[in-house]
Amino acid sequence: MTIVVYPGSFNPITNGHRDIVERALRLFDRVVVAIGTSADKDPASFLSGRISLCRQALAEFGDRVEVEGFNNLLVDYVRSKGTRFVVRGLRTMSDFDYEFQMIEMNQTLDSDMEYVLLPTSRQWSFLSSTRVREIAGLGGDISEFVHPAVVEHFSKL
Ligand code: ADP
């Protein structure tokens, strides 16, 4: 069985992230969505909220998708999941620069890791979690960009 880890902030999960999960499932048997944390920036409550929204947004994929938080080195985490494959999504050339830097760093730490960069559907190429938070914070309608569970979450804030 082939497993790939999809790491990110997912703050919150968007239809763009979902699109990458769906594409990754065409290449791998299972996708582990790994939500990164940083001890000083992310209180545990924020992480559990993000995990719960990801699980709801990806429920349609059943047990082919697992969602969990991680706070160790990505390469160590990926090994602990019994794989050496990482998937990331690409929207623009600036994403490419950022991803390439991350890959270079991680390849120095573990040269056996393989990275799969999947371009998103054109429909979501402008979409980011930051924009979603901004629009929701100003009372705008985000339903076109995220799962209904995420809409509901922001409507209660
Ligand atoms: P990070 O802070 O690690 O970049 P994100 O949650 O912002 O975490 O993104 C995780 C991954 O998902 C990254 O590879 C990013 O390029 C990708 N991604 C984010 N939004 C989209 C989108 N709209 N379409 C495709 N990929 C996306």
Side-chain angles (χ1 to χ4, degrees):
M1 185 167 74
T2 53
I3 300 171
V4 68
V5 171
Y6 180 20
S9 311
F10 302 97
N11 185 24
I13 184 165
T14 68
N15 292 343
H17 293 122
R18 184 202 160 282
D19 183 56
I20 297 301
V21 170
E22 188 176 28
R23 283 160 193 278
L25 285 172
R26 293 181 194 153
L27 302 171
F28 296 90
D29 298 314
R30 294 193 70 208
V31 174
V32 179
V33 173
I35 309 185
T37 54
S38 98
D40 33 320
K41 276 196 276 176
D42 296 325
S45 59
F46 285 10
L47 178 64
S48 61
R50 272 186 279 157
I51 291 176
S52 159
L53 289 180
C54 277
R55 287 194 178 136
Q56 292 174 72
L58 302 172
E60 69 192 282
F61 301 114
D63 61 8
R64 291 187 71 199
V65 174
E66 180 190 346
V67 180
E68 65 178 23
F70 78 105
N71 57 10
N72 48 343
L73 267 182
L74 178 65
V75 291
D76 292 340
Y77 176 77
V78 172
R79 289 286 184 194
S80 76
K81 301 311 289 183
T83 183
R84 57 189 190 90
F85 301 117
V86 175
V87 68
R88 297 273 291 178
L90 281 183
R91 288 162 292 188
T92 57
M93 282 311 282
S94 57
D95 266 356
F96 186 80
D97 279 348
Y98 177 81
E99 297 302 330
F100 216 76
Q101 281 182 29
M102 185 202 74
I103 291 170
E104 294 250 310
M105 292 285 287
N106 284 321
Q107 267 172 348
T108 309
L109 295 170
D110 186 337
S111 57
D112 281 341
M113 291 283 146
E114 296 296 347
Y115 299 83
V116 179
L117 297 178
L118 294 178
T120 188
S121 308
R122 209 153 27 129
Q123 189 186 4
W124 309 122
S125 60
F126 61 92
L127 179 57
S128 72
S129 299
T130 307
R131 290 287 101 74
V132 166
R133 288 198 307 275
E134 274 172 12
I135 296 171
L138 295 169
D141 180 7
I142 54 169
S143 57
E144 207 181 309
F145 312 122
V146 296
H147 188 272
V150 179
V151 177
E152 199 189 325
H153 168 81
F154 278 99
S155 71
K156 289 193 207 135
L157 294 182

